[in-house]
Amino acid sequence: MNNSITLRDIARALNLSTSTISKALNDSYEIGEETKKKVIAYATEHHYVPNRMAKGLKQGKSRSIGVVVCSLDNNFVAQMLDGIDKVSTDKSYQIIIMQSKESQKQEIACIDLLYSGGIDGLLISPACETTDFSYLKNLQESGLPMVLFDRLTDQIDTHKVGADNFKGAYDATMHLINNGYKRIAHLNTNTKLSISTDRLNGYKQALSDQMISFNPTYLRSCDYTDSHKLNEDLEEAIQYYMSLPEPPDAIFTATDQITTRCLSLLNKLGYHIPKDLALIGFTNTELADAMNPSLSTIHQPAFEIGQLAAEKLISLIEQKHKEVDFETIKLETQILVRASTQTVPTSN
Amino acid sequence: MNNSITLRDIARALNLSTSTISKALNDSYEIGEETKKKVIAYATEHHYVPNRMAKGLKQGKSRSIGVVVCSLDNNFVAQMLDGIDKVSTDKSYQIIIMQSKESQKQEIACIDLLYSGGIDGLLISPACETTDFSYLKNLQESGLPMVLFDRLTDQIDTHKVGADNFKGAYDATMHLINNGYKRIAHLNTNTKLSISTDRLNGYKQALSDQMISFNPTYLRSCDYTDSHKLNEDLEEAIQYYMSLPEPPDAIFTATDQITTRCLSLLNKLGYHIPKDLALIGFTNTELADAMNPSLSTIHQPAFEIGQLAAEKLISLIEQKHKEVDFETIKLETQILVRASTQTVPTSN
DNA sequence: CTGTTAGCGCTTTCAT
DNA sequence: ATGAAAGCGCTAACAG
């Protein structure tokens, strides 16, 4: 660990007290210009770097923020983290990122570790598996400021920042309908979180607005917990759809992983997109344009979600005393129409 | 910050001393079974969670590792981070990730912050911009264990873990030659780091082994610092190549970003891959199969690089006293041949 | 303007 | 088997 010089070392070298050094380095009005200069000169020369742990221990705060996400190796998550990092760095907070891998157990382990590390606040996008939020609620009651981002739940009352998933799903479905698709399947995750339900509801609303009745056989959920299992579920779902007497003519997929993998899988299984089946889904991949075929997507403002969530959390941390009205912010998604939904299927 | 109960609170409640509580919770042999049980029961009931800062301050180590990467929003980096996280979590180290955004100045700011945070060791993949490593060297001399990963340099003597970039580049170039391509261009980054030079050398070696003389007009470097600038440079490079009297018939691209963007760009500019131009490059995207055309790639064992780097660092941390022989480990890359290099160009 | 002192929460001798 | 006390590096009253 850190074995650079300490305040005491400087104090001894300069024949001053540690508190004088501390004040000088913190540019206190109590200290004379002369002394300040001398201290700062010595400190820089000897590469003094303050010990954050000592400072944190003393001050009861650490200027660090814990971030819990499902996975680091996820394009969409990475973009949100980038946004969080931007704001945190600007406001000189350090972020500590941990991954739940979609497991509630691991999520709790992460939170414990973060909490014991003395974070000033928590930014969390819960694991798909998580249904019981009492753990988080307890932490909140014991005074830890927190903001939910991306994946939200009604079970906790705090600031929440995510995309307008209902609208995004509605737009996607409506786009398919407007392009002449009639039998629209929906593939989503097996979670109870809002990302899943909101998207399902948006899908249903669009159908109903267009007088298309919701057909439960066109709805399948995939296990999101395990990457391998996801592929299996996806393949099974597609096989199932296509073996139906009336197979769907389009699929609307609910998450980044599902969308891109679905495209790969459809290609692999030999289906032609969009002739056999149109495809549109939530994903933020920059490669949508270069895919085969280029992929129509619902794009979420990931970076902005991260930024806003971090801002909200920091404001919460810095006005811990005051009463605040918690907000739930839903940022607009964007529909990007490309080739995967362009061909109107042969009439029937 | 953390305002859970402390050892003192437990001590008072149980009419014991803090040191007894500390020992009990750390399962010391000095403490009787009865007492231990009582203490542990109380601690769990009241959700005692130790203060890492206090512990770290006392013990002179924090069980945390600093990680500096160029960017979070980068597929390849994310995979390495995942590997680092796996090992760290297993060995109960916490990781603190920071991004340099390819700027040396920001890199130093990150390192300072990490160092002052009391990290036990540093894992770093330097910014493209970084050429002067004296800063890191000083830190190392002052006792901070560090491991370089992915982007290596001879200027620092420590454990280093990366891919065998020379071999990867050699394989890619050789593959192109074997498939009948003769005028092979190389697009890389404008950095002095080994990732760039090793790949260039592998490319040159393959050419020379096949009696093809290296043509400097077929070599272009892109500014990697800025995402927008990269696109410009790329577009300019392609325009330049294609306006040559003898334009290249294949491109070998050196990094994840360059490779995928190059594909997008070639499509956008209306070139047909691989008829007009073959393309193969370093990238770890899972979407290579689903691209248009499916993309031949050099795949790096990113997760393993992360894992190994973390293991090396932790071993360094935990045997800080002993003398060690530093190793440089180069993991095998993998060539994945797909459609973007499949068609032999029309003879000439 | 500068110094003394106490204490953040924890571990760790050293007594008892 | 348990406790008292010191101290990690820092800041913040409070004196001087």
Side-chain angles (χ1 to χ4, degrees):
Chain A
M1 219 201 56
N2 195 328
N3 55 357
S4 75
I5 60 169
T6 70
L7 287 187
R8 255 220 334 253
D9 298 328
I10 306 182
R12 276 201 280 250
L14 265 47
N15 256 311
L16 289 166
S17 76
T18 57
S19 59
T20 303
I21 309 298
S22 171
K23 286 171 189 162
L25 256 20
N26 288 308
D27 200 29
S28 160
Y29 66 98
E30 297 180 89
I31 305 296
E33 282 310 316
E34 284 302 288
T35 321
K36 274 187 194 170
K37 256 184 214 150
K38 222 169 38 183
V39 171
I40 291 169
Y42 189 93
T44 23
E45 191 197 344
H46 293 265
H47 300 110
Y48 168 73
V49 16
N51 183 319
R52 271 174 77 102
M53 290 195 294
K55 190 169 175 170
L57 184 58
K58 177 67 192 174
Q59 303 196 320
K61 53 181 179 261
S62 59
R63 286 199 90 80
S64 69
I65 290 173
V67 185
V68 179
V69 293
C70 59
S71 170
L72 282 168
D73 181 15
N74 178 314
N75 182 50
F76 174 65
V77 169
Q79 291 174 21
M80 293 193 296
L81 290 175
D82 199 14
I84 292 171
D85 184 73
K86 169 106 174 39
V87 170
S88 314
T89 303
D90 283 357
K91 310 217 167 167
S92 47
Y93 279 81
Q94 205 171 51
I95 62 174
I96 301 170
I97 303 165
M98 306 202 71
Q99 22 186 3
S100 67
K101 296 286 178 182
E102 306 293 11
S103 141
Q104 168 149 29
K105 200 175 146 212
Q106 199 166 331
E107 181 169 282
I108 290 178
C110 293
I111 298 170
D112 267 353
L113 198 57
L114 289 168
Y115 191 57
S116 80
I119 53 170
D120 295 340
L122 178 68
L123 239 28
I124 181 166
S125 176
C128 273
E129 203 181 285
T130 304
T131 46
D132 179 11
F133 289 90
S134 54
Y135 197 84
L136 272 178
K137 211 180 277 176
N138 286 339
L139 271 185
Q140 192 190 18
E141 277 161 13
S142 83
L144 184 74
M146 60 181 66
V147 170
L148 289 169
F149 68 101
D150 177 34
R151 300 172 175 187
L152 317 180
T153 172
D154 289 336
Q155 292 185 53
I156 300 213
D157 187 31
T158 187
H159 289 319
K160 299 166 201 171
V161 183
D164 190 339
N165 292 308
F166 179 90
K167 177 84 173 359
Y170 184 89
D171 290 348
T173 312
M174 206 51 115
H175 164 68
L176 288 170
I177 298 171
N178 288 339
N179 270 23
Y181 299 98
K182 290 193 168 58
R183 297 185 307 280
I184 300 169
H186 180 41
L187 272 172
N188 69 3
T189 58
N190 61 344
T191 171
K192 300 275 174 282
L193 294 165
S194 65
I195 44 163
S196 187
T197 52
D198 286 356
R199 289 169 191 176
L200 176 58
N201 288 335
Y203 161 77
K204 283 183 177 171
Q205 185 68 50
L207 292 180
S208 118
D209 281 2
Q210 294 294 316
M211 311 300 184
I212 299 176
S213 65
F214 168 64
N215 179 348
T217 58
Y218 286 168
L219 173 65
R220 299 245 109 183
S221 301
C222 305
D223 186 346
Y224 215 58
T225 317
D226 172 67
S227 165
H228 188 68
K229 185 69 166 50
L230 174 57
N231 260 358
E232 278 179 17
D233 282 11
L234 231 38
E235 184 153 355
E236 197 225 278
I238 291 168
Q239 306 278 23
Y240 167 82
Y241 282 148
M242 300 317 275
S243 70
L244 251 29
E246 278 210 323
D249 55 15
I251 306 184
F252 160 52
T253 46
T255 76
D256 210 301
Q257 310 279 301
I258 293 181
T259 303
T260 54
R261 293 201 182 189
C262 199
L263 176 63
S264 295
L265 219 49
L266 287 171
N267 279 334
K268 191 184 121 198
L269 295 174
Y271 294 105
H272 187 277
I273 307 171
K275 215 179 62 198
D276 299 333
L277 212 48
L279 179 64
I280 186 170
F282 276 80
T283 169
N284 271 34
T285 181
E286 288 173 359
L287 271 32
D289 254 324
M291 309 253 282
N292 179 29
S294 72
L295 185 61
S296 295
T297 61
I298 301 296
H299 183 272
Q300 299 184 68
F303 188 84
E304 289 75 15
I305 290 175
Q307 276 189 306
L308 204 54
E311 277 165 15
K312 287 288 166 195
L313 180 65
I314 291 172
S315 83
L316 225 47
I317 291 171
E318 296 184 348
Q319 21 173 301
K320 215 168 168 176
H321 38 296
K322 289 175 204 149
E323 276 297 304
V324 279
D325 281 329
F326 291 127
E327 311 174 61
T328 296
I329 300 170
K330 304 213 169 179
L331 300 178
E332 284 277 298
T333 59
Q334 200 184 343
I335 183 166
L336 297 164
V337 175
R338 301 194 183 86
S340 69
T341 54
Q342 284 301 40
T343 308
V344 178
T346 54
S347 72
N348 61 339
Chain B
M1 220 201 55
N2 195 329
N3 55 357
S4 76
I5 60 168
T6 71
L7 287 188
R8 258 227 324 259
D9 297 328
I10 306 182
R12 276 202 280 252
L14 265 48
N15 256 308
L16 289 165
S17 75
T18 57
S19 55
T20 303
I21 308 298
S22 171
K23 287 170 189 165
L25 255 20
N26 288 307
D27 200 28
S28 159
Y29 67 95
E30 298 181 89
I31 304 296
E33 283 310 315
E34 284 302 288
T35 320
K36 275 186 192 170
K37 257 183 211 150
K38 223 170 36 186
V39 171
I40 291 169
Y42 189 92
T44 22
E45 190 197 346
H46 292 265
H47 300 110
Y48 168 74
V49 17
N51 183 318
R52 272 173 78 101
M53 291 196 292
K55 190 169 174 170
L57 183 57
K58 178 66 192 174
Q59 303 196 318
K61 53 182 180 262
S62 59
R63 284 201 91 79
S64 69
I65 290 173
V67 184
V68 179
V69 292
C70 59
S71 169
L72 281 169
D73 183 15
N74 176 315
N75 182 48
F76 174 64
V77 169
Q79 291 174 20
M80 292 192 296
L81 290 175
D82 199 12
I84 292 170
D85 184 73
K86 168 106 173 41
V87 170
S88 314
T89 303
D90 284 356
K91 309 217 169 168
S92 47
Y93 279 80
Q94 205 170 51
I95 62 174
I96 301 170
I97 304 165
M98 306 203 68
Q99 23 185 3
S100 67
K101 296 284 180 185
E102 306 292 10
S103 143
Q104 168 149 30
K105 199 175 147 214
Q106 199 166 331
E107 181 169 281
I108 290 177
C110 292
I111 298 171
D112 267 353
L113 197 58
L114 289 169
Y115 190 58
S116 80
I119 51 168
D120 296 339
L122 179 68
L123 240 28
I124 181 166
S125 177
C128 274
E129 204 181 283
T130 304
T131 47
D132 178 11
F133 289 90
S134 54
Y135 197 84
L136 272 179
K137 212 180 276 178
N138 286 340
L139 270 186
Q140 193 190 17
E141 277 161 14
S142 84
L144 185 72
M146 59 180 65
V147 169
L148 289 169
F149 68 102
D150 177 33
R151 300 171 175 188
L152 317 180
T153 173
D154 289 335
Q155 292 185 54
I156 300 213
D157 186 32
T158 187
H159 288 318
K160 298 166 200 169
V161 183
D164 190 339
N165 291 309
F166 179 89
K167 176 83 174 0
Y170 184 88
D171 290 348
T173 313
M174 205 51 113
H175 164 70
L176 289 171
I177 298 171
N178 289 339
N179 269 23
Y181 298 98
K182 290 192 169 56
R183 298 186 306 280
I184 301 169
H186 180 40
L187 273 173
N188 69 2
T189 56
N190 61 345
T191 170
K192 300 274 174 283
L193 293 166
S194 65
I195 43 164
S196 188
T197 53
D198 287 355
R199 289 169 193 177
L200 176 57
N201 289 335
Y203 160 77
K204 283 182 176 170
Q205 185 67 51
L207 293 181
S208 120
D209 282 0
Q210 295 294 314
M211 313 299 184
I212 300 176
S213 66
F214 168 65
N215 181 348
T217 57
Y218 286 168
L219 173 65
R220 300 246 108 183
S221 300
C222 306
D223 187 345
Y224 215 58
T225 315
D226 172 66
S227 165
H228 188 68
K229 186 69 166 46
L230 173 58
N231 260 357
E232 278 178 16
D233 282 11
L234 231 38
E235 186 153 354
E236 197 224 280
I238 291 169
Q239 307 276 23
Y240 167 81
Y241 283 148
M242 301 316 276
S243 71
L244 251 28
E246 278 210 320
D249 54 16
I251 306 184
F252 160 52
T253 46
T255 76
D256 209 302
Q257 311 279 301
I258 293 181
T259 303
T260 53
R261 292 202 184 189
C262 197
L263 176 64
S264 295
L265 219 49
L266 286 171
N267 280 333
K268 191 184 120 197
L269 295 173
Y271 294 106
H272 186 276
I273 307 172
K275 216 179 61 198
D276 299 332
L277 213 47
L279 179 63
I280 186 170
F282 276 80
T283 169
N284 271 33
T285 180
E286 289 173 358
L287 271 32
D289 253 325
M291 310 254 280
N292 179 29
S294 71
L295 184 62
S296 296
T297 61
I298 301 295
H299 182 271
Q300 298 183 69
F303 188 83
E304 289 76 13
I305 291 175
Q307 276 189 305
L308 204 52
E311 277 166 15
K312 287 288 166 196
L313 180 66
I314 291 172
S315 83
L316 226 45
I317 291 171
E318 296 184 348
Q319 21 173 301
K320 215 170 169 177
H321 37 297
K322 292 176 203 148
E323 276 297 305
V324 279
D325 281 329
F326 292 128
E327 314 173 60
T328 296
I329 301 170
K330 304 213 168 178
L331 300 178
E332 284 277 299
T333 59
Q334 201 184 344
I335 182 165
L336 297 164
V337 175
R338 300 193 183 86
S340 69
T341 56
Q342 284 302 40
T343 308
V344 178
T346 55
S347 70
N348 60 340

